[in-house]
């Protein structure tokens, strides 16, 4: 009996312990393995990839990385959130599977594509003359600087990819950006059949605005800013006190820059554009360049004297042609095609031209000189083919603004150009800007403003009568075309087609004549054509080297 009671007490005690233990169990599930990304998403056998995720541990024992087709990868390192593995022989296109010990295997959402070009990662400074070959793909990580006295040469047909912020080796959240410092040179001369392409490191179908930084040239031509002015976007260094108008930062010919233009923070002026030019001199060549899906401005000139011909701004986020800090170069033949559903919170403009913000303070070391006095000719900008909207765009962060926003004492001149589908055509902003116009220093000639809600707008003390008198001067040959009369311009039927546009105009278009040239266009740089806008009826200069579907292009083979 006593034995029975002892056993009974023991069983009750065990039951009590088990009950307490069960009450203390929080039923939290064990951590699971996840795969959140693969980078790069393509490469040849023998190249390295990084698999991002969670709960990988830190020991290679028991870790299996298997490619589609059943080939096992050789592991180089394992960390809790990253596995570095080598693409094995026998790998095929498709997702990658990761198994950690006895835990359930996890397959990547993204597919890996077997490429036939090796991937070369580039980070830090380029300190010796270097050539990038078309037989390889180059992946720029973080800010890459071409140093003073160094030339980076890129062969025709080469693909360069910009890495995302999270791949910055310095852990500073900077997207891959190629920066040519004063005294350095970038020789990127493609051909019509073999353009050089800077693009996103993401796979086809998942690329987006601002995936990486962009291309930045910094030269020794004059700007109107003091010598210790910071560059935008966190770029190392400040402006110098250079005064070399003919400075040479290299040559860009038949070059595409896609999905760059990154916002580095929410702070104003923290962006990098698709192509950014600081004090770039006239010895530099810019010819046949397409900037697509830029997350900020497509092109921005900060001072300098560089000239350019045959530029394309395609589906940018903010402005197309932004001129500041005393830019005094020349540009001819440029076209912009915008997505009506994407604009920036600052309002997206075709031309945005400043001398600098906040104008011309008397205390400035340069007294605001040289004034922004660039000369553009034969530009065509297209946004809305229907009535323009002033509402915030459904896929962007803001609304569209003006075809030309000329402000802050700018003295830019624009000739023989066509601006279609903006809420406002010209906004003349500020009495100093007006003074430059009335003094005949800022010239607008042969301009066609079409399909706008407000063709001529004002700000900064300018009156409606003043802007109307200036723009409508008979000798200037400017004109306003309503939406109802847009068809009279005889634009191409595919002019506004976002995936396969065509820009040559009808043989009976009134745009084929009426060009105006003054002393501002007397320079031999300009081809003195008779037509207005970037195209005539026969010369399609975007043919062969541009790409209007970079989202779906396979750059890995």
């Amino acid at each position: 009996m006593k034995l029975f009671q002892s056993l009974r007490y023991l069983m009750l005690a065990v039951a009590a312990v088990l009950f307490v233990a069960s009450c203390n169990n929080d039923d939290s599930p064990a951590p699971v393995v996840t795969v959140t990304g693969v980078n790069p998403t393509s490469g040849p056998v023998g190249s390295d990839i990084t698999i991002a995720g969670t709960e990988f541990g830190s020991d290679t024992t028991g870790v299996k990385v298997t490619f589609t087709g059943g080939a096992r990868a050789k592991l180089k390192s394992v960390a809790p959130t990253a596995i570095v593995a080598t693409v094995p022989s026998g790998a095929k296109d498709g997702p990658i599977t990761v198994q950690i010990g006895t835990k359930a295997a996890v397959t990547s959402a993204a597919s890996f594509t077997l490429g036939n070009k090796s991937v070369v990662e580039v980070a830090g400074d380029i300190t010796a003359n270097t050539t990038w070959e078309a037989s390889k793909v180059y992946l720029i990580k973080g800010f890459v600087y071409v140093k003073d006295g160094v030339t980076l040469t890129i062969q025709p047909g080469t693909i360069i990819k910009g890495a995302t912020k999270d791949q910055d080796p310095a852990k500073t959240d900077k997207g891959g950006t190629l920066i040519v410092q004063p005294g350095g040179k970038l020789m990127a001369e493609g051909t019509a059949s073999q353009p050089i392409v800077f693009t996103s490191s993401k796979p086809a179908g998942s690329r987006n605005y601002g995936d990486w930084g962009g291309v930045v040239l910094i030269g020794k031509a004059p700007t109107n800013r003091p010598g210790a002015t910071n560059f935008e976007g966190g770029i190392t260094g400040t402006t110098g006190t250079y005064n070399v108008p003919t400075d040479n930062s290299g040559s860009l010919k038949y070059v595409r820059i896609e999905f760059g233009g990154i916002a580095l923070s929410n702070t104003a002026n923290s962006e990098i554009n698709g192509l950014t030019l600081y004090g770039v001199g006239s010895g530099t060549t810019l010819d046949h360049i397409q900037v697509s899906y830029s997350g900020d401005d497509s092109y921005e000139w900060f001072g300098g004297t560089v000239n350019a011909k045959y530029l394309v701004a395609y589906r940018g986020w903010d402005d197309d042609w932004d001129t500041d800090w005393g830019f005094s170069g020349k540009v001819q033949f440029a076209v912009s095609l915008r997505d009506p559903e994407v604009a920036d919170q600052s309002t997206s403009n075709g031309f945005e031209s400043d001398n600098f913000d906040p104008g011309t303070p008397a205390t400035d070391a340069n007294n605001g000189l040289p004034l922004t006095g660039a000369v553009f000719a034969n530009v065509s900008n297209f946004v809305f083919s229907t009535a323009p909207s002033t509402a915030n765009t459904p896929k962007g962060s803001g609304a569209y603004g003006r075809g030309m926003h000329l402000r802050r004492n700018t003295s830019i001149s624009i000739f023989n150009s066509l601006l279609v589908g903006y809420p406002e055509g010209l906004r003349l902003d500020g009495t100093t800007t007006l003074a430059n116009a009335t003094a005949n220093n800022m010239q607008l000639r042969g301009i066609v403003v079409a399909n706008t809600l407000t063709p001529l707008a004002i700000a900064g003390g300018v009156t409606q009568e003043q802007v109307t008198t200036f723009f409508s001067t008979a000798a200037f040959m400017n004109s306003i075309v309503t939406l109802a009369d847009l068809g009279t311009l005889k634009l191409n039927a595919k002019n506004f087609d976002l995936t396969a546009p065509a820009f040559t105009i009808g043989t009976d278009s009134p745009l084929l004549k009426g060009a105006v040239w003054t002393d501002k266009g007397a320079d031999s740089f300009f081809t003195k054509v008779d037509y207005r806008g970037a195209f005539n009826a026969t010369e399609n200069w975007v043919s062969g080297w541009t790409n209007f579907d970079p989202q779906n292009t396979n750059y890995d083979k």
Side-chain angles (χ1 to χ4, degrees):
M1 186 67 179
K2 288 182 179 181
L3 178 61
F4 175 77
Q5 287 180 336
S6 297
L7 290 173
R8 182 183 177 191
Y9 293 148
L10 178 60
M11 291 175 64
L12 289 173
V14 170
V17 169
L18 292 174
F19 176 76
V20 170
S22 66
C23 290
N24 289 335
N25 186 359
D26 59 7
D27 294 325
S28 297
V32 297
V33 176
T34 66
V35 174
T36 57
V38 176
N39 186 70
T41 55
S42 74
V45 172
S47 63
D48 291 339
I49 64 167
T50 299
I51 302 167
T54 62
E55 299 300 325
F56 292 157
S58 57
D59 188 353
T60 57
T61 305
V63 177
K64 298 178 182 179
V65 174
T66 307
F67 283 68
T68 297
R72 284 269 302 275
K74 180 180 178 180
L75 304 179
K76 298 192 76 173
S77 65
V78 175
T81 59
I83 297 172
V84 178
T86 302
V87 179
S89 176
K92 296 182 179 180
D93 293 354
I96 297 171
T97 300
V98 175
Q99 185 166 17
I100 309 297
T102 59
K103 297 179 181 178
V106 180
T107 301
S108 65
S111 292
F112 179 85
T113 303
L114 196 67
N116 57 10
K117 293 183 179 181
S118 60
V119 177
V120 179
E121 294 187 1
V122 182
D125 297 341
I126 299 176
T127 58
N129 292 344
T130 302
T131 297
W132 290 355
E133 303 171 357
S135 61
K136 301 182 175 82
V137 173
Y138 294 84
L139 179 65
I140 299 172
K141 288 189 169 185
F143 282 6
V144 173
Y145 292 92
V146 179
K147 305 298 285 185
D148 182 9
V150 174
T151 297
L152 170 62
T153 301
I154 303 178
Q155 293 181 346
T158 303
I159 304 298
I160 304 98
K161 296 183 179 183
T164 54
K165 290 181 180 181
D166 57 358
Q167 296 173 264
D168 178 8
K171 306 299 182 185
T172 56
D173 289 330
K174 290 184 169 68
T177 304
L178 183 63
I179 303 164
V180 180
Q181 294 188 307
K185 287 184 180 179
L186 172 61
M187 301 300 296
E189 296 189 342
T191 66
S193 60
Q194 291 184 298
I196 293 167
V197 181
F198 293 84
T199 193
S200 169
S201 62
K202 293 183 178 179
S206 64
R207 300 163 186 151
N208 206 351
Y209 293 92
D211 277 347
W212 61 292
V215 177
V216 180
L217 303 184
I218 307 173
K220 297 182 178 181
T223 75
N224 61 21
R225 305 311 300 129
T229 302
N230 291 326
F231 300 121
E232 290 189 0
I235 295 171
T236 295
T238 60
T239 57
T241 54
Y242 304 114
N243 189 19
V244 188
T246 59
D247 188 48
N248 183 357
S249 293
S251 178
L252 276 69
K253 291 184 177 180
Y254 293 102
V255 170
R256 300 202 303 261
I257 303 170
E258 304 167 350
F259 303 101
I262 196 167
L264 297 172
S265 73
N266 294 324
T267 305
N269 300 324
S270 67
E271 305 88 1
I272 291 177
N273 309 288
L275 178 60
T276 306
L277 305 156
Y278 285 100
V280 177
S282 61
T284 308
T285 299
L286 302 177
D287 186 273
H288 288 87
I289 300 172
Q290 180 180 18
V291 175
S292 303
Y293 290 94
S294 174
D296 195 53
D297 299 332
S298 293
Y299 300 81
E300 186 159 9
W301 293 262
F302 293 91
T305 56
V306 66
N307 305 319
K309 274 189 175 177
Y310 304 111
L311 304 182
V312 180
Y314 174 58
R315 298 181 81 159
W317 187 275
D318 197 5
D319 308 318
D320 299 307
W321 327 109
D322 196 338
T323 56
D324 311 280
W325 289 15
F327 173 51
S328 58
K330 298 175 284 290
V331 177
Q332 188 178 22
F333 305 122
V335 63
S336 166
L337 178 62
R338 300 296 301 245
D339 183 344
E341 296 191 334
V342 177
D344 187 56
Q345 59 185 348
S346 65
T347 68
S348 295
N349 305 310
F351 288 91
E352 183 172 283
S353 186
D354 310 333
N355 201 44
F356 60 85
D357 185 11
T360 312
T363 57
D364 182 73
N366 301 316
N367 199 30
L369 299 176
L371 290 183
T372 297
V375 180
F376 283 73
N378 297 99
V379 179
S380 292
N381 276 32
F382 303 104
V383 188
F384 289 92
S385 59
T386 56
S389 172
T390 59
N392 284 352
T393 51
K395 297 179 182 177
S397 59
Y400 275 97
R402 304 106 203 163
M404 297 175 283
H405 189 182
L406 311 184
R407 61 184 185 176
R408 296 172 179 164
N409 200 23
T410 184
S411 193
I412 191 174
S413 294
I414 305 171
F415 289 86
N416 308 321
S417 295
L418 171 65
L419 304 162
V420 181
Y422 290 88
E424 295 178 359
L426 164 66
R427 175 178 282 202
L428 198 59
D429 187 347
T431 55
T432 55
T433 308
L434 175 65
N436 293 332
T438 55
N440 207 35
N441 294 321
M442 185 179 79
Q443 299 181 7
L444 303 183
R445 306 287 192 270
I447 305 295
V448 179
V449 171
N451 183 25
T452 60
L453 303 179
T454 306
L456 303 176
I458 55 173
V462 179
T463 68
Q464 193 65 46
E465 180 181 6
Q466 287 170 325
V467 69
T468 301
T469 298
F470 166 65
F471 187 82
S472 303
T473 300
F476 295 175
M477 299 291 289
N478 299 321
S479 59
I480 295 170
V481 177
T482 65
L483 172 59
D485 292 332
L486 186 59
T488 65
L489 296 180
K490 303 298 177 68
L491 301 177
N492 197 298
K494 298 188 72 175
N495 197 113
F496 294 91
D497 187 328
L498 288 177
T499 56
F503 300 114
T504 52
I505 57 180
T507 56
D508 55 347
S509 172
L511 296 171
L512 289 173
K513 57 184 179 181
V516 179
W517 294 99
T518 72
D519 60 317
K520 291 277 189 181
D523 191 284
S524 60
F525 167 83
F526 290 107
T527 304
K528 308 303 188 297
V529 297
D530 294 328
Y531 56 88
R532 292 167 291 165
F535 296 88
N536 61 14
T538 58
E539 299 171 55
N540 182 17
W541 53 262
V542 301
S543 178
W545 62 278
T546 54
N547 183 1
F548 294 101
D549 189 22
Q551 179 62 265
N552 296 303
T553 302
N554 182 355
Y555 287 119
D556 300 318
K557 293 187 177 182

